[in-house]
Amino acid sequence: MDVVNQLQRQFIDYSASLHREGFLDDQFTQLQKLQDDNSPDFVVEVASLFFEDCEKLINNMARALEQQQGVDFKQVDASVHQLKGSSSSIGAMRVKDVCIAFRSFCEAQNREGCLRCLQQVTHEYSLLKNKLQTLFRLQQQILAAGGSIPVVE
Amino acid sequence: MTVEQIVSEGKDQFPIGMRVLAVDDDPTCLLLLGTLLRRCQYHVTTTSQAKTALKMLRENKNKFDLVISDVHMPDMDGFKLLEHVGLEMDLPVIMLSANGDTKLVMKGITHGACDYLLKPVRIEELQNIWQHVVRRKKKDRCNSGSKDKPHPDSGEAAGIGNFDNNGKLNKKRKDQNEDEDDERDENGHDIEDPSAQKKPRVVWSVELHRKFVAAVNQLGIDKAVPKKILELMNVEKLTRENVASHLQKFRLYLKRISCVANQQANMAAALGTADSAYLRMGSLNGLGNFHTLTGSDQLHNAAFRSFPPSGVLGRLNTPAGLGIRGLPSPGTIQLGHVQNSGNPTNDLSKLQSFVPGNHNTNILQGMPMSLELDRLQHNKSAGHIGELPTTDSTTVFPGPGSLVDARITGFSNNPLLGVTSNSLMLEGSSQQATSHTSVSAIGFQNGNALSDFTFIAPASNQLQDSKADSQGQASPINCNAGQIIRSAPQEWNAPRKDAPYQSHASLNSSIPINGAMIQLGQYLDRNNSIFHRTTDLDSVGPLNFVDPLSIKHSEGDNSIMEPSVIEKEGYLMFQPRPHGNHDPDNIGSLEDLASAMMKQVRLVVSSLVNI
């Protein structure tokens, strides 16, 4: 159907742009491949979990960095480490890259640097969330129109 | 194919249906991991709490084939979980982390992980993890099949010979026991399918393990054979094979601990390291270590710490690399640990017990002294370790070279360790050469490097005569030995060519003296050059060498990396056989090395003496 084709094309283009811009990397493609009839919502599930986790971690970091008495960099580092792990697992490349820089600031115990990174992480996370939500919406539309999700390589 | 189907038919379709327990506090990763594993057609159980995972495992060890765990977890460190699982349940554990630092990976290995994966984990990597299950099953089969060897070390030695990694240990034993295994019915029935041929797994609960450790302690590491342990434990439905395989794991565990401890110890006292090396070796051999281990959990840590096998190795490596210099340090470093561990005394006692046992194990043959020394040393070890380096290592180890090495290593590291290691070292040497005496000499000297040297020369003679007497000598030496060892490692570098090597060797594998010898041999060449130099320099020369080494060791960093390396070497080299001759495989090479070293040592010694 034309509508389906159109949607599918849109989906492919959008996916490609996300990859191009570095929001997603190959790991995300792997995730998509894991989705099958047995777990049709797998990607959405993982993404939702990731967003929840991300918010929690960001809050932890913000709280830790706000401490006037003395920032517990170890704690911040632990949170960053976890965020790095989960972002790399889902393929959130830009988030992961910020985490890498974030970690070195933590090691250096540089509060300013950490705060900057925290801002960046928050920003990247919101961007990604929006983009993925758009992507998932497209997916749903395709399915609703009776089509199938094209596999983007 | 549904998971349920797979599970029920798991045995036949392995690796399909392999039961995996996945632990990760990150929900995103856990979900992903679980999905990937299911995609590989494994049967997956996930949990985000390490404690829950342990509980599940303890409830029924047979419920799972493999555990995958994240390294960073809030409720329990992944490495801790790893150790628990490895020790209590003997299940293969794979570590998972976003952090792929070499140090972390190394840590995983030393704690017993059979693999280390990086996040994000890919399905291709997970598709092959079943190999770890198969490998372990094979190992278990062989281990349980092996009869209790009269000598713990013989069994261990075999394993030790393959020290490049823990697995090797098993392998060697496996090879040795293969025939037995085949004949034995217990494992024979379903070899082809590892998962199918599961014998009812014994869950090594904390209580059970405690009994085990107590039994091993009671028997003494060297005498801790599965049969006797079983009798002492007096637990229903526990077979000798269960105990045997657990014993092996235990030894590996001790080794690991000591490696870890060594790293931490980074004792400046290179001498200390030597001891630790021995200690570890002892543990590996089961001779000494077990004592320490069984003695108490503390001991374990302590013992291990002091001895971290890797530490030993590390030490050896450094000395070896350095030549003579290297030797003392590693040992000392380890010794340092020993001291730190606080259980040193325990270690010593263990060592002692160990030593006697070591007779069998080549390493300690001549060394009864060393053990004693260690004790003495150990108590003072803290102080001694540092001392030795300066002392004439050369003096200590002259001549007996082979012995010296063994001994030296023992002493240097930890007074406690040193003792055992020393003894080990000496023992090893003694076998090869009557160098025992020399070794003993070394021990004595510790405190005063220079004085030691002179001391050594005469001592060596004595040593030779008294392998048996070594015990007696050991005592004097022990005091010194501990000291010497410390210094020896350092000094060794220069004069001792042989000594350093030996010490290294001994350190690593306290057990396999043979192995040590081999190492020594290698070192000999290096040492020779160094040695020559030292001789020219007179005792002073060696000292120079020693110092840098000792310093190195103190840093302990080396040990960390090296120990593991050394361990391998050490282990390979050191066959637990006290004689060094015991192990035909090792002996040949060791003996050659030993004799070569001896010659060199003699040269050095004589030159030193002249000084």
Side-chain angles (χ1 to χ4, degrees):
Chain A
M1 287 173 35
D2 198 31
V3 172
V4 172
N5 284 345
Q6 227 181 351
L7 286 172
Q8 285 176 330
R9 234 197 327 271
Q10 256 185 300
F11 177 84
I12 294 175
D13 288 342
Y14 196 64
S15 250
S17 77
L18 288 184
H19 277 83
R20 214 177 24 246
E21 289 164 21
F23 284 102
L24 299 173
D25 64 13
D26 190 47
Q27 180 66 18
F28 190 77
T29 314
Q30 299 293 323
L31 283 189
Q32 285 177 310
K33 286 196 190 151
L34 278 181
Q35 183 163 292
D36 62 3
D37 293 338
N38 285 342
S39 43
D41 296 319
F42 176 65
V43 184
V44 176
E45 253 181 70
V46 177
S48 315
L49 262 186
F50 171 67
F51 292 140
E52 265 176 45
D53 211 26
C54 209
E55 278 173 36
K56 193 177 63 165
L57 289 170
I58 289 180
N59 284 339
N60 285 352
M61 293 187 244
R63 236 174 330 174
L65 284 170
E66 267 166 27
Q67 298 296 323
Q68 293 305 322
Q69 295 79 0
V71 178
D72 183 356
F73 284 102
K74 279 224 158 67
Q75 202 189 338
V76 181
D77 187 63
S79 295
V80 177
H81 176 78
Q82 194 172 330
L83 184 59
K84 180 176 165 216
S86 49
S87 58
S88 61
S89 296
I90 198 183
M93 197 164 77
R94 277 158 73 141
V95 176
K96 183 189 72 175
D97 289 342
V98 177
C99 285
I100 295 178
F102 203 153
R103 285 204 87 192
S104 29
F105 281 120
C106 282
E107 269 178 60
Q109 309 221 337
N110 182 339
R111 189 159 172 267
E112 287 308 311
C114 285
L115 282 169
R116 264 203 312 270
C117 278
L118 180 63
Q119 256 182 337
Q120 259 183 298
V121 158
T122 312
H123 178 65
E124 289 296 339
Y125 153 74
S126 330
L127 274 181
L128 180 67
K129 188 169 179 184
N130 284 339
K131 306 245 174 205
L132 279 181
Q133 277 170 344
T134 309
L135 192 71
F136 293 149
R137 232 187 346 259
L138 266 178
Q139 266 184 286
Q140 274 173 326
Q141 284 174 330
I142 294 177
L143 290 173
S148 61
I149 314 294
V151 178
V152 182
E153 290 298 335
Chain B
M1 170 158 19
T2 64
V3 168
E4 294 66 33
Q5 278 178 326
I6 293 174
V7 173
S8 58
E9 303 161 6
K11 288 189 181 179
D12 305 321
Q13 302 180 339
F14 189 87
I16 290 177
M18 183 174 80
R19 299 155 309 168
V20 183
L21 176 63
V23 190
D24 193 337
D25 63 319
D26 184 343
T28 314
C29 297
L30 191 61
L31 174 61
L32 177 62
L33 184 62
T35 309
L36 286 172
L37 289 169
R38 286 191 187 97
R39 195 51 61 91
C40 296
Q41 298 182 306
Y42 303 139
H43 179 54
V44 187
T45 308
T46 58
T47 173
S48 60
Q49 301 280 321
K51 300 219 165 86
T52 312
L54 258 187
K55 199 158 74 85
M56 280 196 267
L57 288 166
R58 282 183 179 142
E59 271 168 20
N60 185 359
K61 199 172 71 162
N62 288 341
K63 238 170 107 193
F64 301 103
D65 298 308
L66 178 73
V67 179
I68 299 187
S69 165
D70 186 31
V71 167
H72 289 88
M73 288 190 289
D75 64 332
M76 185 190 294
D77 185 28
F79 294 119
K80 256 233 173 81
L81 175 66
L82 167 60
E83 279 179 6
H84 278 296
V85 175
L87 202 55
E88 294 178 31
M89 291 125 209
D90 182 29
L91 282 176
V93 182
I94 295 180
M95 301 307 292
L96 195 59
S97 177
N99 190 342
D101 270 358
T102 307
K103 285 213 180 96
L104 267 190
V105 179
M106 184 67 74
K107 195 170 174 195
I109 295 174
T110 55
H111 280 76
C114 55
D115 206 348
Y116 194 105
L117 300 178
L118 287 189
K119 288 184 189 173
V121 66
R122 294 191 323 268
I123 197 168
E124 295 84 12
E125 294 173 337
L126 293 178
Q127 268 161 352
N128 285 333
I129 57 176
W130 57 268
Q131 61 177 289
H132 301 294
V133 178
V134 176
R135 198 175 293 130
R136 194 161 285 228
K137 286 211 168 90
K138 271 187 83 188
K139 226 169 29 157
D140 280 353
R141 223 177 312 140
C142 293
N143 292 340
S144 41
S146 59
K147 329 252 179 217
D148 296 342
K149 303 229 171 205
H151 288 300
D153 35 61
S154 47
E156 295 301 323
I160 299 190
N162 300 319
F163 256 77
D164 33 316
N165 58 50
N166 293 343
K168 292 259 182 118
L169 258 180
N170 295 327
K171 212 182 275 184
K172 185 132 195 220
R173 186 184 284 197
K174 211 170 29 165
D175 296 337
Q176 292 179 347
N177 300 326
E178 246 170 359
D179 294 341
E180 295 175 10
D181 284 344
D182 292 345
E183 292 158 7
R184 281 160 159 275
D185 187 24
E186 42 205 316
N187 306 316
H189 58 281
D190 42 4
I191 307 273
E192 64 284 340
D193 186 341
S195 55
Q197 73 107 28
K198 256 194 211 248
K199 338 184 252 295
R201 271 250 180 101
V202 170
V203 178
W204 281 92
S205 65
V206 180
E207 292 17 285
L208 202 59
H209 183 65
R210 262 197 231 288
K211 279 195 190 163
F212 169 81
V213 170
V216 175
N217 253 350
Q218 204 174 323
L219 293 169
I221 290 292
D222 50 323
K223 291 248 189 305
V225 289
K227 200 175 211 159
K228 298 212 180 121
I229 297 175
L230 186 64
E231 286 167 15
L232 271 179
M233 283 175 71
N234 193 21
V235 171
E236 273 184 25
K237 299 209 186 142
L238 194 66
T239 68
R240 189 167 53 82
E241 289 67 33
N242 295 136
V243 176
S245 77
H246 190 71
L247 185 66
Q248 179 153 40
K249 268 184 295 185
F250 193 56
R251 291 192 181 143
L252 294 177
Y253 172 72
L254 289 178
K255 189 165 46 118
R256 273 205 305 268
I257 303 278
S258 51
C259 290
V260 174
N262 284 336
Q263 293 176 1
Q264 298 168 5
N266 294 330
M267 294 297 296
L271 295 174
T273 51
D275 296 338
S276 44
Y278 276 119
L279 289 176
R280 286 196 300 195
M281 299 203 297
S283 37
L284 293 177
N285 295 313
L287 292 174
N289 297 327
F290 277 92
H291 290 299
T292 51
L293 292 174
T294 54
S296 57
D297 295 337
Q298 261 188 337
L299 286 176
H300 295 302
N301 299 329
F304 288 114
R305 279 162 175 264
S306 49
F307 304 117
S310 48
V312 172
L313 288 174
R315 290 193 286 195
L316 289 178
N317 289 329
T318 50
L322 297 177
I324 303 192
R325 288 195 281 183
L327 293 174
S329 354
T332 50
I333 297 180
Q334 296 198 344
L335 287 175
H337 280 292
V338 174
Q339 297 178 348
N340 299 326
S341 29
N343 296 316
T345 48
N346 296 325
D347 301 331
L348 280 178
S349 47
K350 297 214 187 154
L351 293 173
Q352 291 191 341
S353 53
F354 195 68
V355 175
N358 292 324
H359 298 300
N360 306 320
T361 53
N362 307 331
I363 299 179
L364 293 178
Q365 284 193 343
M367 301 302 306
M369 303 190 291
S370 47
L371 283 181
E372 300 178 351
L373 285 174
D374 290 332
R375 289 223 198 174
L376 299 174
Q377 302 262 332
H378 196 67
N379 298 318
K380 324 174 204 173
S381 53
H384 295 302
I385 299 195
E387 299 171 0
L388 288 176
T390 53
T391 56
D392 309 328
S393 46
T394 55
T395 54
V396 172
F397 301 101
S402 55
L403 286 178
V404 173
D405 296 333
R407 298 194 240 191
I408 301 189
T409 50
F411 297 106
S412 48
N413 301 327
N414 302 302
L416 286 179
L417 290 175
V419 172
T420 37
S421 37
N422 294 328
S423 42
L424 292 175
M425 305 209 0
L426 292 175
E427 303 251 333
S429 334
S430 49
Q431 297 171 354
Q432 316 238 341
T434 45
S435 45
H436 292 294
T437 51
S438 47
V439 174
S440 47
I442 304 176
F444 297 101
Q445 305 182 350
N446 299 332
N448 321 303
L450 293 175
S451 53
D452 295 334
F453 287 116
T454 52
F455 194 169
I456 302 180
S460 43
N461 300 325
Q462 298 171 5
L463 290 172
Q464 296 183 340
D465 301 329
S466 53
K467 276 205 183 170
D469 298 339
S470 53
Q471 310 214 353
Q473 292 176 347
S475 21
I477 300 181
N478 293 329
C479 310
N480 302 321
Q483 300 171 336
I484 297 179
I485 302 210
R486 289 192 286 213
S487 48
Q490 298 164 351
E491 300 177 336
W492 275 72
N493 301 322
R496 293 264 171 197
K497 293 194 296 193
D498 301 335
Y501 290 127
Q502 295 187 347
S503 44
H504 296 299
S506 40
L507 290 176
N508 298 330
S509 50
S510 57
I511 312 172
I513 298 204
N514 299 325
M517 299 305 286
I518 296 178
Q519 271 192 341
L520 289 173
Q522 296 167 1
Y523 289 119
L524 282 176
D525 295 333
R526 277 185 281 190
N527 288 330
N528 290 326
S529 50
I530 299 178
F531 188 81
H532 293 306
R533 277 183 294 166
T534 51
T535 50
D536 297 335
L537 295 176
D538 289 352
S539 52
V540 178
L543 290 177
N544 298 333
F545 289 99
V546 175
D547 294 337
L549 289 176
S550 47
I551 295 176
K552 277 178 57 167
H553 294 294
S554 46
E555 291 170 358
D557 296 335
N558 306 327
S559 50
I560 299 182
M561 296 307 291
E562 296 168 335
S564 48
V565 176
I566 299 185
E567 272 186 337
K568 289 192 189 172
E569 299 171 10
Y571 290 123
L572 288 174
M573 312 254 307
F574 283 105
Q575 295 292 329
R577 297 168 188 296
H579 306 299
N581 298 314
H582 293 312
D583 190 346
D585 303 337
N586 305 316
I587 296 181
S589 52
L590 282 176
E591 284 177 343
D592 294 339
L593 288 171
S595 37
M597 292 195 296
M598 291 298 297
K599 286 197 199 134
Q600 292 174 344
V601 171
R602 295 226 171 83
L603 278 175
V604 178
V605 176
S606 43
S607 55
L608 288 172
V609 175
N610 294 333
I611 299 173

